[in-house]
Amino acid sequence: MTTDTLSAAPVRTTVRKVTALRVLRSEWAKFWSLRSSWITLGVSLLLLVALGAIASATYSPDVVADGGPPGGPGSGTQDAVSLALLGVTFASLAVGVLGVLLSAGEYSTGMIRSTLTAVPRRLPVLWSKAAVIGPVALVLSTVGALAAFQLGTLGLDGEKIALSLSDDGVLRSLAGAGVYLGLVAVFGVALGVLLRSSAGAIAVLVGVLLILPGLASLLPDSLYDNINPYFPSNAGSAVYALHESSDALSPGAGLAVFAGWVALTLAGAAYRLVRSDA
């Protein structure tokens, strides 16, 4: 065999097919390789556990009865579950921001071009990001809610509002907090892909979860009362509420409404991902 024959010999390369499982593995590795993932998850877990434990430890049933201020954590007619889950609002911002960074962060760095070159069909990238962060946030948040409740029982020992895990609705509420925070994380991913800007998506996230319900209170009472339960954060809070309020949705209805908001945002993100250039 001559040198010319050797140089003309074809070079065989192995081309692996892009599958949903391989895309999922790639996004899983990408997620855990980011320092922001570890930090933000740690912050959300700390907020959830610490605020719930502090609220339970500082609970005083006499604050309102003695003419003190009705607001503030650990006062009034709250129950042990609502005290333990006081940090859910703050934790939701942390996991939502993490979802935004996971998706919009690739647009900021330009990595999205490499990602979409490797996955030309594009949509598996969005589904994989949501499938990675949703379960992670759900599991860690559920563990955090359980830890906050268990620590809270120490501070509420002997109080009338004290509850145990075996009481009706307690486990459902704690698990509901995990489900809500898992959906918030997916919501953040969808906003990041839809807006393609970390700052813009975080601003929208904060506005939808915190500011929008407050602004809606400026509407006429008749209109406000009808639409207030269907705002994302209000519907989400119904998922983990121990007792169903007269002006709130049931846990099942709240879950359906909030999941609908997340699905609608995901649909918008999927449309833009397919139709627009990176």
Side-chain angles (χ1 to χ4, degrees), residues 141-167:
S141 299
T142 302
V143 171
L146 286 167
F149 180 80
Q150 291 294 83
L151 289 174
T153 57
L154 301 177
L156 295 175
D157 187 30
E159 298 287 354
K160 291 182 179 180
I161 67 169
L163 296 169
S164 66
L165 289 175
S166 60
D167 289 321

Side-chain angles (χ1 to χ4, degrees), residues 29 37 40 42 59 66 114 174 182 254 274:
S37 300
T40 313
Y59 170 78
D66 292 342
S114 300
L174 299 178
V274 172

